[in-house]
Amino acid sequence: MKIIFKKYFFKFIVFILVTILLCSLIYIFYKPNSNINFYISTYGNDNSIGSKSHPFKTLEGARDAIRNTKKNTAIHKDIIVFFRGGNYFINKSIELEKIDSGNKQLSITYKSYKKEKVFFIGGYNLPNTDFKPLTDKTILDKFINKEAAKNILVADFSKYPMDFASSKEIISNAPELFYNNDPMTIARFPNYKFLSTGQVIKKTNDTINSFKYNGNEPLLWNRNKTILMSGYWFHNWSDSTIKVSTIDILNNIISSTTKLPYGIKEGQRFYFFNILEELDKAGEYYIDYDKKLLYFLPNSPIKNSKIQLSVLTAPFIQMTDVSNVTIEGITFENSRTTNIVINNGLNNKIKDCVIRNTSQNAISINGGTNNGVENCEVYNTGTGGLVITGGNRNTLTPCNNYASNNEIYNFSRIKKTYSAAINISGVGIIASHNSIHDAPHTAILFSGNDHLLEYNEIYNVATETDDVGAIYTGRDWTFRGNIIKYNYLHDIDNNIGNFNVSGIYLDDCMSSAEVYGNVFYKVKNPIFIGGGRDNIIENNIIVDCKTSINFDERGLTWDLNELYSNLSKVPYESDIWTNKYPELKYLLKNGSPGIPNNNVIENNLLYQTKMPSISDSVIKYGHVKNNICYDVNPGFVNSTKMDFRLSRNSIIFKENKNFKSIPFENIGRNVLTVIH
């Protein structure tokens, strides 16, 4: 009898305690005419009630409290979870699921408190006391540059638990060193330039990539360690990182068994890296994975410096089927994978955040509706910036996902090509008012239908690649309904070779894009269109560029099999598609679909640049007129200061009544506060 009494007495006590906790939550947080607020702090406790004076310690603690509150209380107010300032070290993904959603009447926001600096850190902050002068003479003798070796520091990080799976060969999986918020360079040769592949050695059915090299540098390397190479092995628009398998010193032959997408050819650019002996330039480092030693040649005094080693191999936050949730005012840094992933759901937003120093992408939005990234700063990513998909191409249902008012720069550090700042695919995605700059390849990459790219400023991209567009898409007749308008592209070129570097590039018969009201300044090839149909190139301003508009007729001579294959992937003959894109009714009926039919190139203003280069068949089957070139200023407010607004009395408005004023002053990012 006593045992039964104790059993039920214990349950009663638990019930009373839970009731008191829930009542406390309701009393503290459920006030008339106010939000429900929770707090998180580095000194908090997840067993507390989450108040300002008794905060939680982790986002999971607040998430679970919200679940309980929603479960036991009818909520008709917004919930805000405030992070107090500090460093939050994350060692696994924070999972938000459908149960963690808000609704039409209830939004849930996780944000910094009163702009306090909140950092989600996916690695270790290494104290500068970990770094000691290198005194091991056996190691010192290995370095080629003896003077630089005198300044090399070494840190033993065996005390830090870390997963090195695949790190030695797959560089995007490897830990990275960040110093004062900048990514450092794995010791490489040569330090700045590229080498060129020599004669390619091939045998029948040989899957090994082998080529001759010049110089004796590999003689000085420990060839038993993992040596990597990064290069443009066949095309100057495709890069790969591969592992050195063997170095034949007698015959000067490098071999690799890593599979390359296009193979290898002579005269292509590459460099070696991950070589201890080549640690000779300030800002370089090398990790000995076997001994767990980090060698570093700092580029500034190490005292009081911020030193980080990335560890996290999963997203900081992963949201699946979540709706009406906002992440705001947080800095995410120092990780080895994509920082935030949103899968499906609706009305989710990443806002006013900084995402930096990651080996892969910053944010990935996969499906859902009205999910977006707004007013964020993204930089130092190893791959791209924002990857956004959504919508249904069969039904042409838009997703309305978006990227708005972000600054994205120094991306594509590791995977250099097709790692865009904004990569969108699907139906109905918007990229607007973004500032994108400093990258080796493309800025905005898109595929699919009915996307809107507007008011973006793009510059200093495509710095080391060929056959590239700052805004790029191609090889599909069905990518229709896309609008590219009111963008400002400037200072886009490179001096590597006779490379095709374009501002807007509609490649390989891309069709039905509207390119309207864009401004180009000092862009090698402002607009380049490789065949295609039903494109509209109208009302653009092109200033001080090497060319203006290039439109060829490649569809008449090229193999179109891939275009036919892409055509078969969508129901282009359905009522939904033909009602939306009536031109598709005639694509396969009136002769060759490779004919550049029904393109419009008119009412473009050219200043101190060449006239358009338009193929005969484009002119024959389309509309090309009123593209006026001026040798004197046609009325820009101040072209020397890159102010390309047109005054009211501009000559263009007199000579071409159809030319419309461009809202140049509205292009680019609206400068708002972002927490650093």
Side-chain angles (χ1 to χ4, degrees):
M1 188 71 178
K2 290 182 179 179
I3 294 174
I4 296 173
F5 175 77
K6 287 182 179 179
K7 177 180 178 182
Y8 283 99
F9 179 76
F10 176 75
K11 288 186 176 182
F12 176 74
I13 293 299
V14 170
F15 173 78
I16 292 296
L17 290 174
V18 170
T19 302
I20 291 172
L21 176 61
L22 289 174
C23 289
S24 298
L25 290 173
I26 295 170
Y27 176 77
I28 293 172
F29 303 117
Y30 192 66
K31 299 178 182 179
N33 302 317
S34 67
N35 298 317
I36 299 174
N37 296 337
F38 292 98
Y39 293 82
I40 300 173
S41 171
T42 56
Y43 61 79
N45 189 320
D46 282 349
N47 292 320
S48 70
I49 60 173
S51 67
K52 192 173 182 180
S53 57
H54 296 84
F56 296 119
K57 187 175 182 62
T58 69
L59 189 151
E60 291 95 331
R63 174 200 65 190
D64 294 344
I66 293 171
R67 288 179 178 178
N68 287 327
T69 304
K70 289 167 58 181
K71 181 179 179 181
N72 295 281
T73 308
I75 301 175
H76 301 287
K77 301 176 182 180
D78 294 335
I79 297 175
I80 301 178
V81 178
F82 289 107
F83 283 90
R84 302 306 304 268
N87 295 333
Y88 295 82
F89 294 93
I90 311 298
N91 57 20
K92 64 178 182 179
S93 273
I94 300 166
E95 303 279 351
L96 297 179
E97 302 171 353
K98 190 172 184 179
I99 192 175
D100 303 306
S101 298
N103 52 49
K104 291 181 179 180
Q105 291 78 38
L106 162 67
S107 67
I108 300 174
T109 300
Y110 298 87
K111 65 182 295 186
S112 59
Y113 177 72
K114 292 187 176 180
K115 299 184 180 179
E116 292 182 358
K117 295 182 178 181
V118 176
F119 298 91
F120 276 31
I121 300 172
Y124 296 112
N125 282 0
L126 305 178
N128 55 46
T129 53
D130 276 2
F131 289 82
K132 312 293 184 184
L134 178 60
T135 58
D136 187 331
K137 191 174 184 303
T138 304
I139 302 297
L140 283 168
D141 288 342
K142 295 178 182 293
F143 295 103
I144 296 171
N145 188 326
K146 304 303 181 187
E147 283 300 311
K150 296 176 182 178
N151 298 310
I152 292 174
L153 304 177
V154 61
D156 182 347
F157 57 83
S158 58
K159 62 183 177 181
Y160 300 107
M162 205 175 301
D163 174 21
F164 290 127
S166 303
S167 295
K168 296 181 181 180
E169 299 181 19
I170 304 176
I171 195 60
S172 61
N173 290 346
E176 285 195 90
L177 182 68
F178 299 98
Y179 189 68
N180 294 326
N181 296 327
D182 289 325
M184 297 292 99
T185 302
I186 303 174
R188 57 170 280 181
F189 174 79
N191 283 329
Y192 301 101
K193 299 179 181 179
F194 288 93
L195 301 170
S196 290
T197 56
Q199 177 189 357
V200 176
I201 312 299
K202 277 194 180 274
K203 299 177 182 178
T204 304
N205 298 323
D206 194 352
T207 59
I208 299 175
N209 303 297
S210 298
F211 61 92
K212 292 251 186 182
Y213 68 91
N214 294 319
N216 298 314
E217 200 81 7
L219 281 167
L220 307 172
W221 303 338
N222 182 352
R223 295 182 297 282
N224 292 321
K225 292 287 187 178
T226 298
I227 298 173
L228 301 172
M229 300 181 289
S230 177
Y232 299 93
W233 301 105
F234 197 91
H235 297 293
N236 287 305
W237 43 261
S238 174
D239 74 302
S240 295
T241 294
I242 61 178
K243 179 187 175 184
V244 173
S245 300
T246 61
I247 300 178
D248 182 344
I249 294 174
L250 293 177
N251 297 298
N252 283 34
I253 295 175
I254 301 285
S255 296
S256 173
T257 58
T258 308
K259 185 177 180 180
L260 287 165
Y262 303 101
I264 188 171
K265 69 179 181 181
E266 186 175 344
Q268 291 299 115
R269 295 168 295 153
F270 80 102
Y271 62 85
F272 297 96
F273 70 106
N274 201 46
I275 306 165
L276 174 65
E277 295 82 358
E278 295 293 346
L279 183 51
D280 62 354
K281 182 174 73 72
E284 286 189 327
Y285 70 98
Y286 176 84
I287 296 176
D288 186 325
Y289 294 106
D290 299 321
K291 297 180 179 179
K292 293 193 175 181
L293 295 175
L294 170 61
Y295 299 92
F296 179 41
L297 189 55
N299 55 12
S300 64
I302 200 164
K303 186 177 181 181
N304 299 324
S305 290
K306 179 181 178 180
I307 313 169
Q308 294 181 305
L309 191 66
S310 60
V311 177
L312 186 65
T313 57
F316 285 101
I317 298 176
Q318 183 154 310
M319 303 163 62
T320 303
D321 298 323
V322 175
S323 298
N324 300 290
V325 169
T326 296
I327 310 294
E328 182 176 344
I330 298 172
T331 294
F332 298 86
E333 64 181 12
N334 196 28
S335 81
R336 294 156 62 183
T337 189
T338 299
N339 282 201
I340 301 172
V341 176
I342 300 174
N343 296 316
N344 303 315
L346 68 153
N347 300 327
N348 298 299
K349 183 185 299 183
I350 311 300
K351 179 183 178 184
D352 298 342
C353 290
V354 175
I355 302 96
R356 65 187 179 193
N357 296 345
T358 181
S359 299
Q360 297 189 28
N361 295 307
I363 298 172
S364 179
I365 297 176
N366 308 309
T369 304
N370 200 36
N371 298 312
V373 182
E374 180 181 321
N375 197 45
C376 290
E377 186 174 359
V378 174
Y379 62 98
N380 293 346
T381 64
T383 311
L386 315 178
V387 178
I388 304 176
T389 67
N392 186 317
R393 293 198 70 209
N394 286 333
T395 61
L396 295 176
T397 303
C399 64
N400 298 317
N401 292 337
Y402 62 92
S404 177
N405 209 54
N406 305 289
E407 183 173 15
I408 308 171
Y409 58 97
N410 198 31
F411 53 97
S412 308
R413 291 183 299 107
I414 297 172
K415 181 67 182 78
K416 297 178 183 294
T417 56
Y418 297 99
S419 300
I422 303 176
N423 187 341
I424 61 182
S425 62
V427 183
I429 296 170
I430 302 168
S432 63
H433 290 286
N434 300 287
S435 174
I436 302 171
H437 53 97
D438 297 310
H441 198 239
T442 189
I444 299 178
L445 182 67
F446 71 93
S447 62
N449 300 75
D450 303 334
H451 303 309
L452 176 60
L453 315 180
E454 63 174 0
Y455 294 104
N456 301 290
E457 180 183 12
I458 303 172
Y459 60 95
N460 198 39
V461 297
T463 56
E464 63 177 54
T465 46
D466 185 18
D467 200 28
V468 55
I471 298 176
Y472 179 88
T473 188
R475 201 162 291 188
D476 207 304
W477 288 315
T478 70
F479 292 171
R480 291 180 172 259
N482 297 293
I483 298 174
I484 309 170
K485 72 174 184 178
Y486 300 149
N487 300 284
Y488 178 35
L489 293 86
H490 62 94
D491 299 288
I492 299 172
D493 198 354
N494 65 55
N495 298 314
I496 297 172
N498 187 26
F499 285 179
N500 173 19
V501 178
S502 300
I504 295 174
Y505 190 179
L506 309 180
D507 198 8
D508 293 350
C509 298
M510 168 65 189
S511 298
S512 181
E514 180 180 353
V515 179
Y516 182 92
N518 302 281
V519 178
F520 303 86
Y521 174 66
K522 291 188 180 297
V523 179
K524 186 173 184 179
N525 299 316
I527 302 173
F528 189 22
I529 305 170
R533 307 159 66 93
D534 309 312
N535 294 295
I536 299 173
I537 315 299
E538 186 176 9
N539 212 92
N540 300 284
I541 293 176
I542 300 175
V543 178
D544 197 10
C545 297
K546 294 179 180 178
T547 64
S548 58
I549 302 169
N550 290 277
F551 202 136
D552 65 38
E553 53 189 22
R554 68 185 65 180
L556 296 176
T557 58
W558 281 24
D559 186 339
L560 304 178
N561 284 338
E562 188 171 346
L563 287 144
Y564 281 112
S565 176
N566 291 335
L567 185 65
S568 68
K569 294 175 182 177
V570 297
Y572 70 96
E573 293 181 301
S574 69
D575 289 342
I576 292 173
W577 274 71
T578 55
N579 288 337
K580 186 111 186 232
Y581 314 123
E583 303 90 354
L584 282 174
K585 295 178 182 179
Y586 312 104
L587 179 64
L588 302 181
K589 294 181 180 178
N590 293 345
S592 170
I595 294 174
N597 190 52
N598 199 35
N599 293 291
V600 176
I601 307 164
E602 63 183 18
N603 301 326
N604 296 288
L605 187 161
L606 318 175
Y607 172 51
Q608 292 185 339
T609 189
K610 293 182 179 180
M611 287 295 292
S613 175
I614 311 296
S615 295
D616 291 342
S617 59
V618 176
I619 297 172
K620 177 180 178 181
Y621 296 104
H623 308 275
V624 181
K625 63 181 181 179
N626 294 335
N627 301 294
I628 304 175
C629 187
Y630 294 96
D631 293 326
V632 296
N633 190 331
F636 296 123
V637 170
N638 194 334
S639 60
T640 59
K641 293 186 177 181
M642 299 170 62
D643 185 347
F644 296 110
R645 291 174 296 164
L646 286 165
S647 61
R648 291 182 180 179
N649 60 353
S650 169
I651 191 172
I652 189 68
F653 298 129
K654 298 175 183 177
E655 295 188 355
N656 187 346
K657 301 295 184 182
N658 293 317
F659 190 89
K660 307 300 180 185
S661 181
I662 295 172
F664 184 77
E665 65 278 9
N666 295 329
I667 297 176
R669 191 180 185 210
N670 298 319
V671 180
L672 300 173
T673 301
V674 176
I675 303 299
H676 289 270

